[in-house]
């Protein structure tokens, strides 16, 4: 090494299975003549380079400005290193096998610069993308990710674009979806028979500017994005009502699209980590607390939070640029998923470029140092996760997971994997299917087995962390499941449930469920009977005598219990739930707004039946009714119910871990996104350093499919 050169090691955690960013790092290094290599060790990426100080500074500066930030990427650390091996310094090498996946990712810094550069060929090009961003998955018919396997096969690439795909220094080198105004369909603004096409930059800018005028006048605008059509509008009372009526959304929170990061900072109360998350390339929908400046938040959400997102698509970015100039800082945004919903607006900013695979945006919440992905697909699927080889296939709901060989697992939509499974593997060992439903598997397999959601969810966590061979105590808490479970995988036994919630009936009408629950309490003891009698006397409107339907489900979940509590506390004031866990969401929100330092005691007690332990929900509801009768503060009761449940879970889990001498605690399920419940669990178990939680996948749904691969024979 010459004396004038400096050696540097840059390291960061990278949890995504999509390695496309490694190519960008190499391109930047090659541009500045940087010598060195990139390596990936499990979830850590190391970049070790050598160059004169000035070149190294230029390399680091461009790396910082061009490399898109990801929710799966940690802040980088740097250190000066010495003692390089000579062979590494004949250029820059990527010393790892790469998985290049067609994910949907928001516009990267390089494409963003081109989009608004008047001297660029792609100035105001509505489908701008490159190897590192855009709707790759949206336009994909089938694997592999080649132009002929996408909707772009119908468009003839121009010579200028073709030259870019052949230039190794271009971000569009060998990129299948390369296009420009000259070789891709135009965007158009349409009302009835009147259409205005954007055949070039000037006409596209004109169409977008006119669309902004449509929005300013208070109209709803159907808008094309690479992730499907959305409806945009100013959040006026009239527009909110139109959207709720047309999409049959009575009370669900609506989402705000902010036109830039400054409006986000101005109208939302966010930490620095939350700001980084909402601005990341995955562009997740964030649960956010509104500032006092966001006066309309109560019209958008019945809760103390709002849902917020930043523009992720070139069309939304162009609209947002004009909207900011007009002083408009946010809009309503809602997906349009079928032909009926397309009738919501007269005006359309559209394109004749079909979106084949629409994805749900990720929803995330940050608790302590943990980023919880509650749900979503965009920027997450398809994915590759490395773990213990099995040769298995797993299917859960809409998702499937396949061992491609050597323990590399492809996670994707079920139809994508099953349609092409013969292209991936010749056969599989065992097919695991959630709840043992029927599926058409086109390759030979040795056996087929069913599994339960909590099993898949918990195994997914230990598989992510590569601790499949270690025992653990698992906690599964989900609003979408009939199972609330504390389970154990011991040193000698596969995963089995230790504690469930006692069976509870769930009727289509919440009043019937409440009436049945109260009857159970009244019949359980003399004290219960007296309490119910007093409650009915003091709150005659609260518990009505109803006729029970013959249609009901018997479940072992905590959500029906919390739903009943929410109704009895008169937090949920409606006769019918819009979605199954809606009453719980009101309870959760009121618990979060409680300002006191300490709650009251709610009875969380175990009962044994048939060699199985159950949480006695009757005692929980009985405690709530007692405090209700005593006219205790409702917010305090709500907080105490959720805090008490968290304390009970912590206590029982710790007791089981201690008795069985198990160190690892595994948590899964979307109730971890509850700041009171999830926050308390994370705080308690992370102190020991043995808390395991999904970091690469959402804590529900997709993780169930992944974990199903590793279910062991009972």
């Amino acid at each position: 090494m010459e004396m004038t050169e400096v050696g540097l090691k840059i390291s960061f955690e990278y949890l995504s299975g999509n390695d496309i960013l490694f190519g960008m790092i190499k391109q930047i290094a090659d541009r500045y003549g940087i010598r060195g290599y990139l390596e990936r060790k499990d979830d850590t990426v190391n970049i070790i380079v050598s160059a004169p100080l000035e070149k190294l500074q230029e390399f680091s500066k461009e790396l910082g400005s061009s490399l898109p930030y990801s929710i799966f990427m940690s802040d980088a650390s740097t250190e000066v290193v010495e003692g390089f091996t000579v062979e590494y310094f004949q250029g820059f090498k990527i010393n790892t096998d790469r998985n290049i996946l067609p994910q949907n990712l928001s516009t990267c810094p390089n494409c963003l610069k081109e989009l608004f550069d008047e001297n660029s060929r792609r100035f105001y090009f509505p489908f701008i993308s490159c190897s590192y961003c855009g709707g790759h998955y949206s336009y994909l018919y089938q694997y592999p990710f080649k132009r002929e396997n996408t909707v772009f096969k119908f468009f003839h690439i121009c010579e200028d674009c073709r030259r870019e795909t052949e230039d190794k220094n271009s971000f569009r080198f060998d990129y299948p979806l390369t296009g420009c105004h000259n070789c891709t369909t135009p965007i158009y603004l349409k009302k009835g028979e009147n259409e205005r096409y954007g055949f070039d930059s000037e006409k596209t800018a004109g169409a977008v500017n006119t669309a902004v005028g449509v929005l300013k006048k208070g109209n709803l605008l159907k808008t094309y994005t690479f992730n499907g059509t959305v409806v945009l509008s100013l959040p006026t009372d009239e527009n909110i009502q139109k959207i709720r009526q047309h999409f049959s959304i009575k009370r669900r929170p609506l989402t705000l699209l902010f036109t830039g990061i400054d409006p986000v900072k101005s109208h939302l109360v966010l930490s620095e980590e939350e700001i980084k998350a909402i601005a990341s390339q995955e562009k997740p929908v964030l649960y956010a607390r509104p500032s006092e400046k966001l006066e309309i938040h109560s019209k958008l959400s019945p809760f103390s939070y709002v849902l917020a997102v930043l523009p992720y698509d070139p069309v939304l970015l162009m609209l947002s640029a004009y909207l900011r100039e007009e002083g408009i800082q946010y809009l309503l945004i809602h997906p349009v998923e079928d032909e009926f919903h397309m009738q919501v607006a007269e005006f359309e900013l559209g394109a004749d470029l079909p979106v084949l695979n629409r994805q749900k945006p990720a929803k995330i919440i940050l608790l302590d140092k943990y980023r919880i992905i509650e749900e979503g697909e965009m920027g997450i699927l398809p994915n590759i996760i490395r773990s213990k080889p099995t040769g298995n296939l797993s299917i859960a709901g809409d998702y499937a997971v396949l061992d491609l060989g050597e323990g590399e697992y492809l996670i994707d939509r079920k139809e994508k994997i099953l349609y092409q499974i013969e292209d991936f593997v010749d056969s599989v060992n065992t097919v695991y299917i959630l709840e043992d439903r029927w599926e058409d598997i086109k390759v030979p397999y040795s056996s087929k087995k069913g599994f339960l959601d909590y099993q898949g969810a918990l195994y997914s966590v230990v598989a992510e962390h590569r601790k499949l061979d270690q025992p653990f105590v698992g906690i599964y808490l989900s609003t979408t499941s009939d199972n609330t479970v504390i389970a154990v995988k011991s040193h000698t036994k596969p995963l089995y449930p230790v504690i469930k919630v006692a069976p509870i009936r769930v009727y289509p009408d919440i009043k019937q469920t409440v009436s049945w629950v109260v009857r159970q309490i009244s019949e359980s003891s003399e004290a219960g009977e007296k309490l119910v009698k007093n409650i009915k006397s003091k709150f005659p409107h609260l518990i009505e005598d109803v006729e029970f339907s013959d249609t009901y489900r018997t479940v072992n979940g905590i959500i029906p219990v919390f739903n009943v509590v929410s109704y009895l506390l008169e937090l949920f004031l409606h006769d019918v739930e819009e979605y199954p866990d809606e009453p719980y969401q009101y309870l959760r929100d009121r618990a979060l707004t409680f300002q006191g330092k300490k709650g009251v005691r709610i009875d969380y007690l175990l009962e044994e039946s048939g060699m199985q332990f159950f949480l006695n929900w009757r005692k929980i509801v009985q405690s709530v009714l007692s405090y209700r009768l005593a006219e205790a503060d409702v917010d305090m009761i709500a907080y105490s119910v959720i805090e008490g449940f968290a304390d009970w879970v912590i206590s029982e889990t710790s007791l089981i871990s201690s008795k069985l001498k198990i160190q690892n605690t595994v948590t899964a399920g979307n109730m971890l996104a509850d700041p009171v419940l999830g926050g308390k669990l994370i705080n308690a178990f992370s102190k020991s350093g043995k808390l395991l939680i999904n970091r690469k996948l959402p804590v529900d749904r997709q993780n169930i499919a992944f974990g199903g691969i590793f279910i062991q024979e009972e």
Side-chain angles (χ1 to χ4, degrees):
M1 181 189 301
E2 298 178 11
M3 294 296 294
T4 55
E5 293 198 354
V6 176
L8 199 66
K9 179 180 179 182
I10 304 170
S11 300
F12 57 90
E13 186 180 54
Y14 189 58
L15 301 177
S16 175
N18 191 2
D19 300 328
I20 59 171
L21 289 183
F22 299 172
M24 177 186 285
I25 294 169
K26 175 173 170 53
Q27 282 184 328
I28 297 172
D30 289 344
R31 188 176 303 123
Y32 291 103
I34 304 294
R35 299 183 295 175
Y37 63 97
L38 179 152
E39 64 179 7
R40 181 168 191 161
K41 293 184 176 179
D42 295 331
D43 295 328
T44 299
V45 173
N46 297 314
I47 305 168
I48 300 177
V49 292
S50 175
L53 180 60
E54 183 178 343
K55 289 287 186 183
L56 210 54
Q57 289 173 335
E58 291 173 347
F59 166 72
S60 299
K61 182 179 179 180
E62 184 166 345
L63 202 62
S65 63
S66 297
L67 200 65
Y69 176 76
S70 167
I71 59 172
F72 298 109
M73 183 188 299
S74 70
D75 291 335
S77 64
T78 59
E79 60 178 301
V80 176
V81 293
E82 298 178 358
F84 295 99
T85 305
V86 175
E87 63 177 328
Y88 285 131
F89 293 92
Q90 308 306 312
F92 187 90
K93 298 181 181 179
I94 299 175
N95 292 341
T96 184
D97 293 331
R98 286 191 289 165
N99 290 309
I100 309 300
L101 303 172
Q103 287 184 340
N104 287 345
L105 293 166
S106 67
T107 308
C108 72
N110 288 303
C111 286
L112 190 64
K113 183 178 179 181
E114 278 189 295
L115 183 65
F116 293 110
D117 181 359
E118 295 183 6
N119 298 315
S120 166
R121 288 197 307 114
R122 295 187 179 87
F123 175 55
Y124 266 61
F125 176 51
F127 313 110
I128 193 168
S129 62
C130 70
S131 300
Y132 311 109
C133 73
H136 300 180
Y137 188 73
S138 286
Y139 302 124
L140 183 72
Y141 283 108
Q142 62 183 37
Y143 293 103
F145 183 41
K146 296 181 179 180
R147 192 177 182 94
E148 56 267 31
N149 291 337
T150 73
V151 297
F152 276 72
K153 69 179 181 179
F154 299 110
F155 302 96
H156 182 70
I157 189 170
C158 70
E159 286 304 313
D160 287 334
C161 287
R162 186 179 300 280
R163 279 193 291 271
E164 280 184 283
T165 65
E166 296 170 354
D167 181 1
K168 292 186 177 181
N169 293 317
S170 169
F171 289 113
R172 294 183 178 85
F173 173 65
D174 203 27
Y175 174 55
L177 308 188
T178 300
C180 68
H181 288 287
N182 296 325
C183 58
T184 310
T185 185
I187 201 169
Y188 59 79
L189 181 64
K190 180 179 180 181
K191 181 188 178 184
E193 298 298 321
N194 299 317
E195 296 179 326
R196 180 174 184 173
Y197 282 87
F199 289 106
D200 55 29
S201 298
E202 182 179 352
K203 289 183 174 60
T204 299
V208 172
N209 191 27
T210 304
V212 169
V214 168
L215 290 167
K216 281 179 60 182
K217 290 178 181 178
N219 296 291
L220 276 66
L221 177 70
K222 290 174 292 188
T223 305
Y224 179 93
T225 77
F226 68 59
N227 200 34
T229 300
V230 297
V231 59
L232 301 175
S233 74
L234 295 176
T236 62
D237 289 350
E238 182 181 357
N239 286 340
I240 290 172
Q241 185 178 7
K242 282 182 181 178
I243 290 174
R244 288 199 181 279
Q245 286 181 346
H246 190 81
F247 291 94
S248 299
I249 306 169
K250 297 176 183 177
R251 297 175 295 272
R252 283 181 184 267
L254 298 176
T255 303
L256 278 184
L257 172 73
F258 285 85
T259 57
I261 194 65
D262 287 337
V264 163
K265 293 177 180 179
S266 176
H267 291 88
L268 302 176
V269 181
L270 300 177
S271 67
E272 286 299 316
E273 288 302 312
E274 287 173 321
I275 291 172
K276 288 169 63 177
I278 197 172
S280 68
Q281 197 176 23
E282 289 78 17
K283 291 296 184 293
V285 174
L286 196 69
Y287 289 97
R289 184 159 60 92
S291 70
E292 292 181 359
K293 292 181 66 174
L294 193 66
E295 297 176 354
I296 63 161
H297 82 267
S298 61
K299 300 173 184 177
L300 303 173
S301 170
F303 308 118
S304 59
Y305 66 81
V306 293
L307 298 176
V309 69
L310 280 170
Y312 52 83
D313 166 270
V315 176
L316 295 178
L317 285 162
M318 291 187 293
L319 283 169
S320 294
Y322 275 115
L323 288 163
R324 287 195 304 273
E325 291 179 5
E326 298 292 336
I328 298 172
Q329 299 189 315
Y330 46 76
L331 296 172
L332 287 176
I333 182 170
H334 194 76
V336 178
E337 298 177 344
D338 56 42
E339 286 302 316
F340 171 74
H341 289 150
M342 285 293 286
Q343 301 168 23
V344 67
E346 292 183 288
F347 293 90
E348 179 182 3
L349 187 62
D352 294 322
L353 189 64
V355 173
L356 304 176
N357 309 299
R358 184 171 196 146
Q359 293 189 308
K360 295 178 182 177
K363 275 188 182 176
I364 70 169
I365 187 168
L366 275 67
L367 297 175
D368 194 17
K369 63 181 179 179
Y370 291 87
R371 182 207 66 251
I372 309 296
I373 307 175
E374 182 181 5
E375 64 178 16
E377 302 162 313
M378 191 170 131
I380 300 172
L381 296 186
N383 209 337
I384 295 284
I385 297 182
R386 299 169 179 86
S387 195
K388 180 181 178 181
T390 64
N392 296 338
L393 166 70
S394 173
I395 302 168
D398 295 329
Y399 305 101
V401 180
L402 177 65
D403 187 347
L404 299 176
E406 300 181 357
E408 283 203 338
Y409 293 93
L410 173 63
I411 307 169
D412 202 351
R413 281 259 166 183
K414 175 177 66 177
E415 64 268 18
K416 275 283 188 289
I417 288 181
L418 295 190
Y419 173 70
Q420 281 194 260
I421 192 169
E422 294 166 299
D423 296 331
F424 296 128
V425 296
D426 296 324
S427 63
V428 295
N429 292 333
T430 302
V431 177
Y432 290 98
I433 302 181
L434 182 65
E435 297 174 352
D436 205 16
R437 297 174 182 175
W438 183 88
E439 294 286 354
D440 182 20
I441 313 299
K442 297 179 180 178
V443 296
Y445 54 88
S446 58
S447 62
K448 182 170 77 73
K449 301 179 186 295
F451 68 96
L452 299 174
D453 50 10
Y454 78 87
Q455 295 174 310
L458 294 175
Y459 270 117
S460 77
V461 180
V462 289
E464 270 194 26
H465 290 266
R466 302 187 184 187
K467 295 180 182 290
L468 281 162
D469 296 329
Q470 297 183 19
F472 64 85
V473 180
I475 306 162
Y476 182 58
L477 309 170
S478 173
T479 66
T480 63
S481 173
D482 290 344
N483 299 301
T484 297
V485 174
I486 298 177
V488 169
K489 177 184 179 293
S490 70
H491 296 273
T492 57
K493 295 181 181 179
L495 186 67
Y496 63 95
V498 176
I499 302 173
K500 297 181 179 180
V501 175
I504 182 171
R505 286 187 184 181
V506 179
Y507 290 86
D509 183 341
I510 190 170
K511 287 185 176 181
Q512 294 181 54
T513 304
V514 169
S515 184
W516 182 83
V517 164
V518 170
R519 179 181 292 184
Q520 300 305 303
I521 293 172
S522 179
E523 294 175 353
S524 65
S525 65
E526 289 185 11
E529 183 180 16
K530 182 178 179 180
L531 176 62
V532 170
K533 183 178 179 180
N534 290 335
I535 283 287
K536 286 184 175 181
S537 176
K538 190 166 186 177
F539 303 102
H541 64 286
L542 197 58
I543 304 169
E544 301 177 14
D545 292 325
V546 299
E547 291 187 11
F548 292 107
S549 168
D550 292 333
T551 303
Y552 62 84
R553 295 183 302 117
T554 300
V555 305
N556 296 97
I558 195 64
I559 286 300
V561 181
F562 286 165
N563 283 349
V564 167
V565 168
S566 181
Y567 186 91
L568 291 173
L569 292 178
E570 296 186 90
L571 302 178
F572 182 72
L573 300 173
H574 310 282
D575 293 336
V576 179
E577 306 102 315
E578 187 176 351
Y579 45 98
D581 62 314
E582 185 185 11
Y584 157 66
Q585 297 299 332
Y586 284 82
L587 180 74
R588 159 184 161 169
D589 196 60
R590 290 294 285 271
L592 188 61
T593 57
F594 174 60
Q595 298 297 314
K597 294 183 178 180
K598 189 176 181 181
V600 293
R601 177 176 175 174
I602 304 294
D603 289 331
Y604 283 89
L605 303 174
L606 280 181
E607 61 183 17
E608 187 176 2
S609 177
M611 301 297 289
Q612 174 72 61
F613 287 104
F614 294 94
L615 172 61
N616 185 339
W617 52 259
R618 295 169 183 82
K619 294 297 184 182
I620 302 171
V621 180
Q622 193 166 327
S623 295
V624 169
L625 290 176
S626 296
Y627 289 117
R628 189 84 168 96
L629 193 63
E631 298 184 348
D633 180 70
V634 170
D635 286 4
M636 180 177 66
I637 301 173
Y639 174 80
S640 302
V641 168
I642 295 181
E643 181 198 42
F645 180 63
D647 287 338
W648 174 81
V649 170
I650 292 166
S651 175
E652 294 297 333
T653 302
S654 300
L655 181 62
I656 294 168
S657 298
S658 176
K659 283 187 174 182
L660 298 179
K661 295 181 171 52
I662 295 175
Q663 292 184 323
N664 294 321
T665 301
V666 174
T667 57
N670 64 3
M671 289 180 71
L672 294 173
D674 181 331
V676 175
L677 175 58
K680 194 139 198 186
L681 293 177
I682 287 171
N683 181 59
F685 293 122
S686 61
K687 290 179 180 178
S688 66
K690 296 296 183 180
L691 174 68
L692 303 180
I693 196 168
N694 287 114
R695 301 184 301 161
K696 303 177 183 181
L697 293 172
V699 291
D700 246 344
R701 298 184 187 275
Q702 294 92 339
N703 69 338
I704 294 172
F706 178 51
I709 282 277
F710 306 99
I711 301 296
Q712 299 180 33
E713 234 180 286
E714 299 294 334

